[in-house]
Amino acid sequence: LSPRLEDVATLCDFPWSSSEERPDGIVCDIGCDHGYLAAALCIRGKNVIAVDIAEAPLERARSYFAAVGISKPKLYLSDGLKEVEETVEVAVIAGVGGMTAAQIIFSAPQAPRRIVVQPTQQFIGQMHQLRLALASHGYSIRKEIWRNANSKNLDRSKKASLAHRYLITLCADRDHESKAPSELELLVGDRSRAFEATLGARRTWIAHHCNWLRYLATETAQHW
């Protein structure tokens, strides 16, 4: 798996808060596309369903499953979980906007115990909206993985510095008891000990947004 998808797979198997017990129910890969993640989870012993809204990605997934020699996961042509018959314990959605992911999951007739989401748009306002949507539906964020997603060959000019990007993957559980997140936590995430490993990345990410706002203020003052 790519590092990006490995982050998702890691959070699919993250222990429940109440014990060291790990998820053992059905994992549903929503928007499975090529099927790489679904196949990897299946090979690792997970009970997996792969879902996509279009037939072409499902055909690609079938071809890939055959190439790696697995007969599962089960495939569904479905808009999110709407056509899925089984009870899903972990819903995974990556590669779409955060609010699109939330709408797909929360419009479903069932509420998975865990949601693992890796949105494509990860500016501070968009992450606030995603965290708020999760909290509003009774989910608490258990863990976040922040991955530096910048090219090693990134031009270090003034404008290129505005492109600094982290890929954020969230793990949110429905039955995890915690206090309601503050406005600051909705913007930049939890600062408790459980999230200490991400503090350096988050500080860089916050500084990037501050630089972007200063740049915007300067440009608009000069040219508007």
Side-chain angles (χ1 to χ4, degrees), residues 15-22 142:
W16 301 114
S17 60
S18 57
S19 67
E20 288 303 308
E21 180 187 358
R22 297 177 184 272
R142 291 282 323 289

Side-chain angles (χ1 to χ4, degrees), residues 142-160:
R142 291 282 323 289
K143 187 172 178 62
E144 301 184 2
I145 297 178
W146 289 55
R147 180 172 295 280
N148 190 328
N150 294 288
S151 167
K152 294 180 180 179
N153 299 317
L154 180 67
D155 181 3
R156 293 302 176 186
S157 68
K158 179 180 178 181
K159 288 188 177 181

Side-chain angles (χ1 to χ4, degrees), residues 11-13 16 21-30 37-38 41-42 45-51 72-76 80-81 83-93 110-116 139 172-174:
L11 294 185
C12 287
D13 200 42
W16 301 114
E21 180 187 358
R22 297 177 184 272
D24 60 2
I26 292 175
V27 180
C28 184
D29 181 11
I30 301 172
L37 176 64
L41 291 173
C42 186
K46 294 295 184 184
N47 187 1
V48 185
I49 291 173
V51 168
K72 296 181 177 180
K74 185 175 181 179
L75 295 166
Y76 275 99
L81 297 173
E83 306 300 325
V84 175
E85 300 169 353
E86 294 87 347
T87 298
V88 172
E89 185 175 52
V90 179
V92 178
I93 187 162
Q110 60 172 297
R113 186 176 175 186
R114 169 172 293 173
I115 294 172
V116 177
Y139 287 85
D173 290 354
R174 182 162 47 86

Side-chain angles (χ1 to χ4, degrees), residues 183-202:
E183 187 67 15
L184 182 61
E185 288 169 337
L186 290 173
L187 285 166
V188 299
D190 195 332
R191 200 175 183 273
S192 66
R193 175 174 290 183
F195 294 84
E196 282 183 353
T198 67
L199 285 180
R202 282 190 279 172

